[in-house]
Amino acid sequence: MASNRKIMVLPGDGIGTEIMKANMRIIDWLAKYRSIDFDMQEGLVGGAAYDAHGTPLSDETLADSIASDAVLFGAVGGPEYDDLAFELKPERGLLALRKEMDLFANLRPAMVFPALVDASTLKPEVVSGLDIMILRELCGGSYFAEPRGIEDQPDGTRKGFDTNAYTTPEIERIGRVALDLARKRDGRLVSVEKANVMHSGVLWREVMTALHAAEGEGIEYSNMYADNCAMQLVRNPKQFDVIVTDNLFGDLLSDCAAMLTGSLGMLPSASLGAPDPETGLPKAMYEPVHGSAPDIAGQGIANPLAQFMSFAMMLRYSFNQGDEADLLENAVATALKTTRTGDIMTPGCTQTGTDGMTEAVLNAMDQLAR
Ligand code: NAD
């Protein structure tokens, strides 16, 4: 089925441009063999935007991103920008996009491909077949809520403070994303907080439990304290399907879950906003978890798989193209059996660069699509 959807492509800096070029070959394949056409627009972000316009995100690129159906992002940053003023640093472009697009739901899957079981620091039996999703609230809680600051005290000491506040609507909107995700996956949801010691946690638990009762028919639901969740993630991570949690706990738990997979070049992510009232689809940005890897940029050796899997998430969550997302993910798993970039190389496989890895995935798509 043909479809015209608008993607804003922001390759960024360093290996961002290399892995995005590789991603275009996957998009071309879908156009050629699945008649899936995207309306693509490319823009500058990060250091590249600073070099061209003196700002890491121009108003025009921001407006185009907001007007698009989804943003496909590479990576930003580089040592040449380290001395820029805070507001001009490449990473500010990324943060401004997240903030202006109100992307409050951060999806971080942790999947262990059979071929990469040995890359994890955990025992193979603990991680083999792992496929979990951490959903982190991204716009509220202790990283944003007021009051926050550092104050001088009358006794001459200083006080640093943040507020972990959540309102009912903030909890409900991330809760709805969580229910939707669980519905699209294995139908199991664990909500994580510290209701035993934090008032924000008490409200979080009350609101999530009520939301599940009202809107979560068919979804198996439970609550868990964040400290226990951290322990369970390394003890028996396969017990989870979807975990939903606040900004602070999500930051910690998603990094912990990500490292169960053992490889930075393999980790995709999605950041979603509220669903559009007309289309029902959210504003969204998809990006690999890794950065611009200046140490290997320009050498043609970057692993493009986190970028491809971010694009697979775009197919699934922005365009309801689950079959194509499955095809791409299965092709990645197939390619990994024989072919690796240097960062995930193991004896017995053929080592290749970005182009070779891309070709291996495209060949696997050819085979699997037959
Ligand atoms: P990084 O993720 O860029 O690199 C860490 C290490 O992992 C490096 O050795 C790198 O070569 C390797 N690596 C990362 N991605 C890889 C891939 N796809 N294939 C093979 N190897 C890969 O983190 P860093 O070195 O701390 O940061 C470099 C720059 O990226 C900094 O300017 C930082 O601020 C920025 N950064 C950007 C983002 C983003 O754009 N979302 C995220 C993290 C860091």
Side-chain angles (χ1 to χ4, degrees):
M1 188 180 65
S3 56
N4 280 306
R5 286 97 188 259
K6 191 170 169 213
I7 303 182
M8 185 71 187
V9 178
L10 299 175
D13 308 317
I15 65 166
T17 57
E18 301 165 35
I19 55 179
M20 193 63 85
K21 211 168 123 210
N23 203 144
M24 290 306 137
R25 296 179 63 190
I26 305 289
I27 291 175
D28 289 346
W29 189 98
L30 289 175
K32 190 168 171 192
Y33 297 110
R34 291 286 169 110
S35 304
I36 295 172
D37 287 317
F38 293 105
D39 174 8
M40 319 264 289
Q41 186 182 352
E42 189 165 325
L44 298 174
V45 69
Y50 175 79
D51 290 341
H53 308 298
T55 166
L57 180 70
S58 69
D59 291 345
E60 196 185 358
T61 305
L62 174 62
D64 288 342
S65 300
I66 291 173
S68 72
D69 295 309
V71 176
L72 189 60
F73 191 94
V76 292
E80 62 271 46
Y81 307 108
D82 281 354
D83 295 331
L84 289 178
F86 185 73
E87 285 308 318
L88 297 177
K89 284 189 186 295
E91 293 76 6
R92 301 307 298 171
L94 174 58
L95 295 179
L97 274 167
R98 287 182 185 154
K99 183 166 174 281
E100 297 301 326
M101 293 173 72
D102 199 16
L103 304 176
F104 63 88
N106 185 228
L107 282 63
R108 290 265 299 262
M111 246 168 100
V112 174
F113 289 98
L116 288 182
V117 162
D118 291 331
S120 175
T121 48
L122 270 73
K123 290 185 192 135
E125 62 268 30
V126 176
V127 292
S128 101
L130 180 76
D131 179 4
I132 64 177
M133 176 73 78
I134 309 263
L135 176 62
R136 166 187 172 192
E137 200 290 328
L138 205 57
C139 290
S142 49
Y143 295 176
F144 293 100
E146 298 287 343
R148 53 199 280 103
I150 299 176
E151 279 177 0
D152 292 330
Q153 304 282 96
D155 66 359
T157 60
R158 298 169 78 210
K159 183 169 84 170
F161 53 97
D162 302 281
T163 304
N164 199 42
Y166 273 101
T167 62
T168 308
E170 282 176 316
I171 302 168
E172 284 175 343
R173 71 176 185 171
I174 191 77
R176 289 200 171 94
V177 177
L179 291 174
D180 193 40
L181 271 177
R183 224 171 261 126
K184 286 182 171 149
R185 292 175 49 97
D186 199 34
R188 292 178 294 121
L189 175 64
V190 177
S191 170
V192 170
E193 26 58 16
K194 287 282 289 176
N196 50 344
V197 286
M198 295 171 74
H199 290 103
S200 54
V202 171
L203 184 71
W204 183 282
R205 184 173 286 216
E206 271 177 28
V207 174
M208 282 288 177
T209 305
L211 188 72
H212 169 254
E215 301 177 21
E217 199 188 329
I219 292 171
E220 190 184 309
Y221 175 85
S222 58
N223 300 297
M224 190 178 274
Y225 297 137
D227 46 347
N228 184 26
C229 183
M231 215 159 58
Q232 296 298 333
L233 270 175
V234 282
R235 192 185 72 86
N236 176 19
K238 284 188 268 183
Q239 70 185 283
F240 297 109
D241 177 25
V242 178
I243 292 172
V244 60
T245 189
D246 76 5
N247 204 342
L248 175 61
F249 297 139
D251 193 358
L252 308 182
L253 295 173
S254 65
D255 269 23
C256 175
M259 284 325 293
L260 299 172
T261 69
S263 178
L264 195 55
M266 299 295 304
L267 298 169
S269 79
S271 300
L272 310 181
D276 182 285
E278 278 174 31
T279 64
L281 293 170
K283 286 264 168 261
M285 180 156 74
Y286 299 86
E287 55 179 310
V289 168
H290 63 72
S292 58
D295 54 336
I296 59 163
Q299 298 175 33
I301 58 172
N303 181 349
L305 299 181
Q307 181 75 62
F308 294 173
M309 289 189 294
S310 301
F311 176 64
M313 292 183 82
M314 172 183 277
L315 291 170
R316 183 172 287 120
Y317 297 115
S318 276
F319 300 124
N320 281 329
Q321 277 162 333
D323 288 349
E324 283 71 22
D326 287 346
L327 173 66
L328 178 51
E329 285 166 357
N330 290 337
V332 166
T334 304
L336 280 170
K337 288 181 192 159
T338 55
T339 313
R340 306 283 176 88
T341 44
D343 57 313
I344 49 171
M345 183 59 191
T346 50
C349 290
T350 305
Q351 185 166 340
T352 186
T354 311
D355 286 347
M357 198 71 231
T358 307
E359 262 140 44
V361 172
L362 288 169
N363 287 339
M365 287 173 80
D366 281 341
Q367 281 165 24
L368 294 167
R370 266 192 217 131

